[in-house]
Amino acid sequence: MRLSLIVPCFNEQDNIFPFARAVAEVFPDPSDYEIVFVNDGSKDKTLQNLKELHRQSQQNIRVVSFSRNFGKESAIYAGLQHGEYISLIDADLQQDPAIVKQMTEILDAEPDTDCVCAFQETRHENKLMTSVKSAFYKMATNMSEVDFVDGASDFRTFRRTVRDALLQMPEYFRFSKGLFSWVGFNTKYIPYEAKERASGTTKWGFKKLLKYGWNGILAFSTAPLKLATVLGLLSTAFSIIYFIVTLLRKATEHIAVDGFTQTVILIVFFGGMQLFTIGIIGEYLAKNYIETKRRPVYLAKEILDYKK
Ligand code: UDP
Ligand code: MG
């Protein structure tokens, strides 16, 4: 089997059959591909429809059904199992299966490309949302070691090498955009236009997106943990400067230092020291946090051994 399409589904009952039909139109030979549907705890008839599709299919439909809603990231992780090329695609037909074909052709033609990722050149959503998203990607890229590419979606097709690398990262709080850039490999970006949802509604409200973005930053950056160190140092420095200025004024202008000034200097100084030490604890916690993810120390793409 050459291509595995991994399709996370959460309450997509009316999209299952149209999706399978759309894929069959692009790939006429059923032995060219398989579809791995991951039912992410849907509360509608998604699972029934998947079972029906599985019954009718010609041995190229797999269904993994979760015990509850674990989120799209978990669904992707569950689906990453089979095939030479693996493709992540949504069930709602916003992402055209014809583009998957284009992606596989690129992988066929270019042995050096490991992953083809579709990005939205223009987004069909309100301007405010678009600018919030691009601000987020800039901030996340600055705060962490990996690049978060603005507009790049999970809509990708990649080789097994990339899949195996992803499976080596068993962390629970997954953020695909970061994981894909963390594993490296050669990625080619091609533009695509997201279509209207075929049926049903989006599962990503503003609140859920905000939480997702925040988790993304936490998963790839320990900068928030180290904030206390910086604030503490600034605060301590301020109190020391204030102290020196007060001493100088006392010496030159012969003013008496009042209790208020002394109190402010002491509060800011000790406040700063406390923040600083909390920050140091944060630094250790940050190291610990990264270690507990048990990410591989390195990923080798190719190994050339002595010829035997
Ligand atoms: N999805 C999922 N679990 C969730 C939320 C979404 O498996 O908790 C799936 C959903 O069924 C769809 C894909 O992820 O196939 C993208 O979701 P959606 O279309 O709602 O996102 P949008 O396109 O609006 O960003
Ligand atoms: Mg969608």
Side-chain angles (χ1 to χ4, degrees):
M1 194 152 305
R2 289 191 57 242
L3 173 71
S4 297
L5 291 138
I6 296 172
V7 194
C9 307
F10 177 49
N11 297 343
E12 304 281 7
Q13 57 179 21
D14 297 325
N15 288 325
I16 303 300
F17 286 101
F19 178 85
R21 268 198 301 275
V23 175
E25 256 168 47
V26 180
F27 299 98
D29 183 352
S31 65
D32 275 350
Y33 71 95
E34 67 169 356
I35 308 182
V36 184
F37 286 101
V38 184
N39 172 37
D40 185 13
S42 299
K43 292 190 172 62
D44 61 0
K45 294 208 165 63
T46 299
L47 184 58
Q48 278 107 303
N49 289 350
L50 286 176
K51 282 183 174 158
E52 178 60 25
L53 180 69
H54 180 257
R55 209 176 50 74
Q56 297 171 5
S57 81
Q58 313 182 19
Q59 305 286 313
N60 66 343
I61 305 284
R62 276 173 217 259
V63 178
V64 180
S65 190
F66 286 176
S67 60
R68 64 169 168 88
N69 181 253
F70 280 92
K72 186 180 174 186
E73 293 287 346
S74 304
I76 292 175
Y77 186 64
L80 291 173
Q81 283 173 20
H82 309 276
E84 186 180 343
Y85 294 162
I86 297 95
S87 201
L88 305 183
I89 182 167
D90 291 349
D92 55 14
L93 288 172
Q94 282 191 286
Q95 306 174 333
D96 189 345
I99 299 196
V100 176
K101 178 139 201 200
Q102 209 181 317
M103 291 170 164
T104 57
E105 283 161 5
I106 293 176
L107 289 177
D108 280 339
E110 302 175 11
D112 281 340
T113 303
D114 304 297
C115 178
V116 185
C117 170
F119 73 96
Q120 294 186 55
E121 244 172 346
T122 45
R123 293 178 190 269
H124 298 282
E125 60 190 5
N126 71 50
K127 292 266 183 309
L128 181 70
M129 198 65 161
T130 307
S131 43
V132 168
K133 280 184 182 168
S134 73
F136 166 78
Y137 287 117
K138 282 207 188 77
M139 185 172 80
T141 302
N142 284 331
M143 284 170 74
S144 60
E145 283 174 22
V146 297
D147 283 344
F148 292 78
V149 182
D150 187 12
S153 52
D154 298 332
F155 186 21
R156 303 167 180 257
T157 303
F158 44 91
R159 295 182 196 279
R160 284 164 91 143
T161 41
V162 180
R163 186 273 311 269
D164 293 341
L166 289 170
L167 288 176
Q168 278 188 54
M169 294 193 278
E171 58 209 69
Y172 181 77
F173 291 103
R174 306 186 70 77
F175 191 71
S176 281
K177 290 185 179 78
L179 292 174
F180 274 108
S181 84
W182 195 92
V183 297
F185 296 95
N186 295 334
T187 303
K188 181 166 190 159
Y189 293 91
I190 60 170
Y192 88 106
E193 202 173 326
K195 303 198 170 141
E196 289 291 314
R197 223 173 197 287
S199 137
T201 54
T202 176
K203 277 87 201 172
W204 302 89
F206 188 69
K207 228 176 100 187
K208 199 168 165 190
L209 267 182
L210 209 65
K211 192 174 152 203
Y212 182 68
W214 177 232
N215 278 333
I217 291 187
L218 291 186
F220 281 89
S221 165
T222 46
L225 268 178
K226 299 172 180 169
L227 198 63
T229 322
V230 179
L231 287 180
L233 277 178
L234 285 179
S235 170
T236 310
F238 172 76
S239 80
I240 290 173
I241 291 168
Y242 193 30
F243 178 63
I244 292 172
V245 169
T246 313
L247 275 188
L248 286 178
R249 285 186 66 200
K250 184 171 149 64
T252 55
E253 299 170 26
H254 301 291
I255 51 154
V257 180
D258 55 11
F260 175 73
T261 307
Q262 290 177 6
T263 314
V264 168
I265 290 176
L266 286 175
I267 288 180
V268 176
F269 181 76
F270 284 108
M273 290 309 274
Q274 279 165 359
L275 270 178
F276 180 65
T277 38
I278 289 175
I280 298 216
I281 295 174
E283 304 272 343
Y284 282 101
L285 192 60
K287 294 275 178 292
N288 220 319
Y289 176 62
I290 297 295
E291 291 290 341
T292 50
K293 281 181 188 287
R294 297 237 143 264
R295 285 189 188 161
V297 177
Y298 69 89
L299 293 165
K301 182 176 154 183
E302 258 181 294
I303 294 173
L304 299 180
D305 209 343
Y306 294 120
K307 289 205 178 78
K308 297 235 166 73

